[in-house]
Each structure stands twice: as C-alpha cells, then as structure tokens.
C-alpha cells in the first residue's frame, strides 16, 4: 500500500469537517479508531525512520514534489483534465452515459441542498452528504495525481492513477442506472427490468471488447525483455549470479 490509499480517508475527513463542524472528534469511537490506526502505523514508521531517516519517506518525497510543482506554477487545469479523458475510454459508451446521468443527479442535489446538508442534523439530509462524499472521492485522486504532470518530463499520466476513484465512479453509475429504472417503471416492471439488464449486458460487451483489444496490443510489449532473457540464458551458466536492469 502507498500514500494514495489515504485519499479515501481524506474524503471522509473533509466531509466530516464541513458537515459536522469537527463534532466527530468528540466521538469516542472515532478517537479509538484513530488511536488504533496510529498504533498499527508505529512499527512501520519506526522501521522507515531507522532505514531511511524519515518516518514516512514516500509521503515526504510526494510532499516535496507537490511543493515544487506549486511553487513553480507547473500545475494547471490541463493536468487535471488529462485524467478526465480516460473516463469515456475505459467506462465505454453505455456505462459512461450512466455515469453522466448519475453525475448530473449529484450536482443537482448539491446545488439544491448543500447548505442544508452542512447545517442540518436531520437524517433526511444524509443523501446530500453521501453525494458530497462520492464527489470528493472522485475528485481528490484526480487532483492528487495531476501534479506529477507538471514536474515529470513529458506527460506522466497513466490510467492506473484513477483506480482509487473507480469505486465512487461505479456508485455514481448505479445512481444513473437507478434513475433510468425509475423513469421506465411507469411502462411496466418487466420492461424496466429488461431494459436495465440490456444496458448492463451491453456495457459488459463493450468492456470485453476493450479488454480483448488491450491484451492483444500488449502481447508483445515486453518482447525485448524476453529476447534479453533468452540471450542471458544461452550465454551463462546455471550457477551464475545475474543482475539485470529490467
């Protein structure tokens, strides 16, 4: 695991900070959970301190790189949008449409009920708070991983960087699917159910087609490594110690 897994925790923290005005820090269960989490981290932090001189070396490096990027004004919205373009590519058309429908629902909910969600203690506002959490869960990884594009040579943007946002994206897709079902239910439960199943199956077909094309395109991507390995095997003894860069 690495620091990027903390992004989900940050999404929860920001939600609680804005909606609960730090009252959650008075909850004994939350304090106990934080204490247990810290105790689990102590052995790792102690080892890293003795081995590298830093309690959290990866976080220290990341923070330094982020500071460098912001100080030199290397971050831009184009970096953030670099990851947005991956969504239609990897969700594919049927599921991307569902995602857009769900996203519109969330944005509309926030525009109409954000102030109430922050101030109200009523459970009826929980839906808006859930939407805030989903939006934070999606946006935080995109903002977090957009900063290396400004400091690395070329565009260091990879699809794997949005993996942390995918669970929330799937939840948003489910909201869109549920909305489609609600619109179609007036034409009959059987019709609505059949349409929903067809959308899911169509999305699966698109995903399988994308996966097949991706796998075939990568089939020979490491052929040079294979050739190097075969050459080493032919020109070395079984007892030799071999160090390679790949």
């Amino acid at each position: 695991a690495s620091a990027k897994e903390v992004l989900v925790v940050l999404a929860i923290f920001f939600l609680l900070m804005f909606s609960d005005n730090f009252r959650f820090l008075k909850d004994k269960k939350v304090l106990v959970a934080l204490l247990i989490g810290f105790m689990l981290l102590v052995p790792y932090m102690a080892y890293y301190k003795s081995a590298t001189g830093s309690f959290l070396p990866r976080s220290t490096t990341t923070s330094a790189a982020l500071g460098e990027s912001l100080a030199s004004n290397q971050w831009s919205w184009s970096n953030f949008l670099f990851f947005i373009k991956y969504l239609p590519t990897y969700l594919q058309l049927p599921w991307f449409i569902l995602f857009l429908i769900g996203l519109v629902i969330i944005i509309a909910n926030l525009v109409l009920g954000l102030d109430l969600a922050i101030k109200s203690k009523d459970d009826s506002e929980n839906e808006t708070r859930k939407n805030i959490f989903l939006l934070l869960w999606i946006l935080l990884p995109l903002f977090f991983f957009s900063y290396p594009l400004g400091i690395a040579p070329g565009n260091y943007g990879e699809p794997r960087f949005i993996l942390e946002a995918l669970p929330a994206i799937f939840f948003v897709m489910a909201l869109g699917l549920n909305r489609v079902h609600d619109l179609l239910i007036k034409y009959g439960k059987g019709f609505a159910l059949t349409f929903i199943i067809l959308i899911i199956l169509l999305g699966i077909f698109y995903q399988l087609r994308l996966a097949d094309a991706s796998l075939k395109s990568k089939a020979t991507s490491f052929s040079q490594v294979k050739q190097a390995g075969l050459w080493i095997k032919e020109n070395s003894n079984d007892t030799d110690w071999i160090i390679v860069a790949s």
Side-chain angles (χ1 to χ4, degrees):
S2 60
K4 61 182 183 293
E5 278 72 39
V6 180
L7 295 172
V8 178
V9 178
L10 282 178
I12 298 173
F13 174 77
F14 285 135
L15 175 64
L16 292 175
M17 183 175 66
F18 288 115
S19 65
D20 208 34
N21 295 323
F22 293 99
R23 288 192 298 269
F24 68 95
L25 293 177
K26 298 179 181 179
D27 189 330
K28 292 182 179 180
K29 293 181 179 178
V30 173
L31 295 178
V32 170
L34 291 174
L35 179 61
I36 292 174
F38 178 74
M39 291 175 63
L40 291 174
L41 286 175
V42 167
Y44 296 97
M45 294 170 67
Y47 167 76
Y48 283 132
K49 180 64 175 178
S50 62
T52 68
S54 175
F55 287 111
L56 297 172
R58 198 162 187 177
S59 298
T60 302
T61 304
T62 299
S63 299
L66 178 58
E68 178 185 344
S69 178
L70 295 177
S72 56
N73 295 320
Q74 291 173 314
W75 188 92
S76 69
W77 281 105
S78 61
N79 297 348
F80 175 75
L81 295 175
F82 186 89
F83 292 101
I84 298 297
K85 73 178 184 180
Y86 285 129
L87 295 181
T89 300
Y90 288 96
L91 292 181
Q92 294 288 287
L93 184 61
W95 289 356
F96 182 63
I97 292 175
L98 291 178
F99 171 73
L100 291 180
I101 295 173
L103 188 62
V104 169
I105 293 172
I106 285 180
I107 293 175
N109 180 284
L110 293 180
V111 170
L112 296 175
L114 179 60
D115 186 62
L116 291 176
I118 292 176
K119 297 179 180 179
S120 176
K121 298 180 182 179
D122 195 335
D123 289 339
S124 63
E125 300 301 332
N126 282 344
E127 194 67 29
T128 301
R129 297 184 185 186
K130 292 175 184 177
N131 290 334
I132 296 174
F133 174 62
L134 287 176
L135 202 58
L136 286 172
W137 192 348
I138 294 173
L139 292 178
L140 281 176
L142 300 185
F143 276 112
F144 181 82
F145 290 111
S146 65
Y147 88 85
L149 298 184
I151 59 176
N155 286 326
Y156 187 61
E158 300 178 12
R160 64 190 177 95
F161 289 160
I162 64 173
L163 284 175
E164 277 69 34
L166 284 181
I169 289 173
F170 293 148
F171 279 122
V172 175
M173 286 168 49
L175 289 175
L177 191 64
N178 187 62
R179 180 57 178 166
V180 171
H181 176 270
D182 291 342
L183 292 174
L184 296 178
I185 195 69
K186 60 184 178 182
Y187 299 107
K189 293 182 179 181
F191 176 77
L193 181 60
T194 301
F195 190 86
I196 294 302
I197 292 175
L198 288 175
I199 292 178
I200 295 174
L201 292 178
L202 185 62
I204 292 174
F205 168 75
Y206 271 80
Q207 289 294 321
L208 289 174
R209 187 177 65 174
L210 175 66
D212 181 65
S214 179
L215 289 173
K216 288 179 179 178
S217 68
K218 301 294 184 182
T220 58
S221 59
F222 287 90
S223 59
Q224 298 87 346
V225 177
K226 178 182 178 181
Q227 293 170 5
L230 292 174
W231 186 92
I232 292 173
K233 181 179 180 180
E234 293 172 357
N235 294 273
S236 62
N237 300 317
D238 293 340
T239 57
D240 290 342
W241 287 73
I242 301 171
I243 301 176
V244 297
S246 175

